[in-house]
Amino acid sequence: MRQRLKPLARDLGRILTALSGIVFASIVVSVAWGEFFAVPALLVSGLIPLGIGRLLTTRYSDADEIGKLHGMMIAASGWLLVGLFGTLPFVLIAWTVAVDPFFGPLAVPAGMDTPTLAVFRNPLNGFFESLSGFTGTGLTMTDDESVLPRTLQWWRTFTEWIGGVGVIVLTTAILARPGSGSLTLYESEARSEKIHPSIVSTVRTIWWIFILFTFVSISILYLAGMPTWDAINHGMTGLATGGFSVTDASIGEYNNPIIDFAMVPVMILGSIAFPIHYLMLQGDLKNLYTDPQTRWLWGYFSLGSVALVGLLLLNGTFETSRVAVTNGIVLTGSSATLFQTIRYGLFQFVSAASCTGFGTTGVGDWSAPAQLTMSFAMFLGAAAGSTVGGIKLIRLITLVKGTAFRIRGVFYPDSAIRYLKLDDRNLGEAELSRELEEAAIIAFLWILFLGVGLAVLLLTIDSSFTLENAIFEIASAQGNVGLSTGITGPDMPTPAKVMFLFNMWIGRLEIIPVLVLLRGLLDTFNFYR
């Protein structure tokens, strides 16, 4: 192998080894639910990445320590690989059910071979589902998640839960090694926050916080009236801001406002940066309003929800009848319209802005302004250092404050020494230029690839979908959200599926590591020609 790719191969081997562990852990679910036919498929799905991972790790154990270039290449290729090998449980279980090669306890139960499961016999659909899960997107190839085997319901949930924090963070936590390599990998996954001086201690603390809040989220939903299995899955994917569901109509399946409102704080928990969670757990609650990004988060969620509710009211979106019955309470006239509008508008904006992607009602027939408002929310996302997608609030803050700082600078003499306070840091001219450059580049690339994806989508999808439908869908894919206007599904054209795979991949890694990987591979190829 080319010398410069040895560190890449070694660390990809470590990532695949970690992936095999989460596949093997999922066998417990198959056994617990009596789905023994899925156990051989999971064993094979775990042994393949384990074998390849151990081979790469052992063969290239003497590779040099990684630098920033290799770190970005490892992050980009690592996320793509876990999506690829995460396809195996979908494909192998779907074919096991179709062929039913076993007998006795391993025989497939009657009624398991559904059209929903059959779509995963196509490896591209399985890859789409896997990458959508690991990137925390939540767009799905299924048309009725409730009929999937419990094993695959769990696997979909588990991929989002792992992907919420990050496969690099997982690998660093359980297969940590000393030195700068762990920090380089951590930063290459679009993260920069540190809770402790040691990056290994930081990622392990992040995981403990994540596990704690997972139990809190599950408990909230269970107490709100959600069945136990549903609460476990929705609690995990809600906190991970992923959005995969185990029901056909997502959270709307329950038609329960108590569950809707209980899910909102779960999604907000996933939208706050992990260092702020850590300080909160230490008793330092003032960061909920003193931290700039968290302070903007409250205003962003509040103003966005009010704006969306206002648009829905203005358009009369829920004025379908004069009487509504909610949990036995009869509401009539404008009170019914107002309550339903607030209920759905608040939930859907938080779901979009937190990049969770749960749904309580269809949005495909909403007005263009309402859909574009949610598209903007998916484009922006929430706090950096959390589980969300989008360009992140901190970059919006940087662009807004940096632009205002530049404009004000015109009125100062050239000899003036000025600083901009940003995220508790005082930035000089040189530092501010770097921050503004990074924020502008990410925003530009995000919009650029959004446009490319939109063009592919408009050229391939059915003409019955509107422009705002297409913008909404591509923003959902690249923002790793998962809300859909009905475009995404197993019948979606292959070019659109491939484009969405690319959009989900670059969206999770904030684009630059993917471009670095592609450029690095091209340079390696040209160097050895």
Side-chain angles (χ1 to χ4, degrees):
M1 175 175 281
R2 300 180 174 109
Q3 185 69 27
R4 66 184 301 178
L5 295 184
K6 283 186 176 181
L8 180 67
R10 178 198 58 204
D11 285 345
L12 288 180
R14 297 173 68 240
I15 292 171
L16 289 177
T17 301
L19 174 65
S20 68
I22 71 172
V23 177
F24 291 141
S26 299
I27 293 176
V28 174
V29 176
S30 300
V31 174
W33 284 98
E35 295 179 345
F36 301 107
F37 66 90
V39 172
L42 289 180
L43 284 173
V44 173
S45 299
L47 287 172
I48 291 176
L50 177 63
I52 297 174
R54 293 299 299 165
L55 175 64
L56 293 175
T57 304
T58 304
R59 183 170 181 180
Y60 301 107
S61 59
D62 60 344
D64 297 333
E65 191 59 87
I66 64 172
K68 189 173 183 179
L69 169 63
H70 284 107
M72 288 192 175
M73 293 176 68
I74 290 165
S77 54
W79 277 89
L80 193 62
L81 274 184
V82 296
L84 182 63
F85 283 92
T87 304
L88 292 173
F90 293 106
V91 175
L92 294 181
I93 290 176
W95 276 106
T96 297
V97 170
V99 177
D100 193 9
F102 307 116
F103 55 89
L106 295 179
V108 177
M112 193 63 68
D113 191 10
T114 63
T116 298
L117 180 60
V119 301
F120 293 129
R121 295 173 201 161
N122 180 343
L124 181 61
N125 291 337
F127 184 32
F128 190 102
E129 200 79 5
S130 174
L131 193 64
S132 179
F134 278 112
T135 58
T137 304
L139 289 172
T140 180
M141 290 290 101
T142 66
D143 55 11
D144 186 0
E145 295 91 329
S146 64
V147 301
L148 287 174
R150 299 291 193 184
T151 301
L152 282 186
Q153 288 182 353
W154 166 259
W155 180 242
R156 295 168 78 248
T157 294
F158 207 21
T159 58
E160 284 201 332
W161 191 74
I162 295 295
V165 177
V167 292
I168 304 295
V169 171
L170 172 68
T171 304
T172 303
I174 65 177
L175 298 174
R177 65 167 186 265
S180 61
S182 293
L183 174 60
T184 303
L185 278 176
Y186 179 75
E187 293 178 335
S188 69
E189 201 175 48
R191 294 185 178 277
S192 59
E193 73 282 355
K194 289 178 67 176
I195 296 174
H196 305 294
S198 164
I199 200 62
V200 174
S201 297
T202 292
V203 298
R204 286 177 176 166
T205 298
I206 286 174
W207 271 106
W208 280 118
I209 293 172
F210 195 57
I211 291 170
L212 170 64
F213 283 143
T214 298
F215 281 107
V216 170
S217 300
I218 293 170
S219 300
I220 289 173
L221 297 178
Y222 178 76
L223 292 174
M226 194 176 284
T228 304
W229 176 250
D230 299 32
I232 291 171
N233 285 272
H234 289 127
M236 292 173 68
T237 58
L239 182 66
T241 60
F244 271 156
S245 176
V246 294
T247 68
D248 184 27
S250 190
I251 305 303
E253 183 78 16
Y254 307 102
N255 192 27
N256 186 336
I258 297 175
I259 290 177
D260 294 355
F261 291 126
M263 182 60 76
V264 170
V266 173
M267 296 188 290
I268 292 176
L269 270 178
S271 305
I272 298 174
F274 282 106
I276 304 303
H277 284 313
Y278 176 74
L279 293 172
M280 288 165 52
L281 291 173
Q282 295 294 311
D284 192 0
L285 298 180
K286 69 178 185 297
N287 283 278
L288 285 173
Y289 56 87
T290 59
D291 174 67
Q293 197 175 203
T294 308
R295 188 169 61 247
W296 276 55
L297 186 74
W298 302 125
Y300 169 48
F301 279 156
S302 300
L303 292 176
S305 298
V306 169
L308 184 58
V309 169
L311 287 171
L312 295 175
L313 280 173
L314 186 64
N315 297 318
T317 304
F318 295 104
E319 289 182 356
T320 55
S321 64
R322 300 296 293 173
V323 179
V325 179
T326 302
N327 268 21
I329 302 173
V330 179
L331 303 173
T332 60
S334 61
S335 62
T337 300
L338 180 60
F339 178 78
Q340 295 293 75
T341 304
I342 292 174
R343 171 188 170 186
Y344 293 131
L346 170 65
F347 186 98
Q348 293 301 165
F349 185 84
V350 173
S351 180
S354 65
C355 302
T356 305
F358 283 138
T360 51
T361 183
V363 298
D365 57 351
W366 284 12
S367 68
Q371 289 190 42
L372 292 176
T373 298
M374 292 182 64
S375 297
F376 174 77
M378 295 187 288
F379 165 80
L380 184 56
S386 65
T387 64
V388 305
I391 66 169
K392 312 294 192 301
L393 271 175
I394 189 61
R395 293 200 175 92
L396 176 65
I397 297 171
T398 301
L399 290 172
V400 171
K401 287 191 171 184
T403 300
F405 183 83
R406 293 294 192 203
I407 293 173
R408 288 196 303 269
V410 176
F411 300 95
Y412 285 82
D414 293 339
S415 58
I417 299 176
R418 301 190 305 138
Y419 294 92
L420 175 66
K421 186 174 180 62
L422 181 67
D423 196 20
D424 295 329
R425 295 172 296 153
N426 290 317
L427 303 181
E429 291 284 350
E431 295 171 307
L432 176 59
S433 294
R434 286 196 298 270
E435 296 278 347
L436 272 174
E437 180 182 272
E438 178 192 342
I441 288 174
I442 293 295
F444 169 75
L445 289 174
W446 219 97
I447 294 171
L448 174 65
F449 285 105
L450 188 73
V452 172
L454 179 61
V456 172
L457 205 57
L458 290 174
L459 289 171
T460 57
I461 62 172
D462 190 281
S463 59
S464 62
F465 291 105
T466 63
L467 175 61
E468 57 267 23
N469 290 159
I471 293 174
F472 185 99
E473 204 83 4
I474 197 68
S476 181
Q478 192 163 299
N480 303 133
V481 182
L483 289 169
S484 176
T485 57
I487 293 175
T488 302
D491 297 327
M492 187 166 63
T494 297
K497 290 180 184 178
V498 173
M499 188 71 240
F500 272 25
L501 285 167
F502 183 74
N503 288 121
M504 292 188 292
W505 182 34
I506 64 174
R508 182 59 179 84
L509 288 162
E510 298 187 344
I511 302 174
I512 290 180
V514 175
L515 299 181
V516 169
L517 171 66
L518 298 176
R519 172 63 187 274
L521 293 177
L522 288 174
D523 284 352
T524 300
F525 176 76
N526 290 331
F527 183 81
Y528 285 94
R529 288 187 64 179

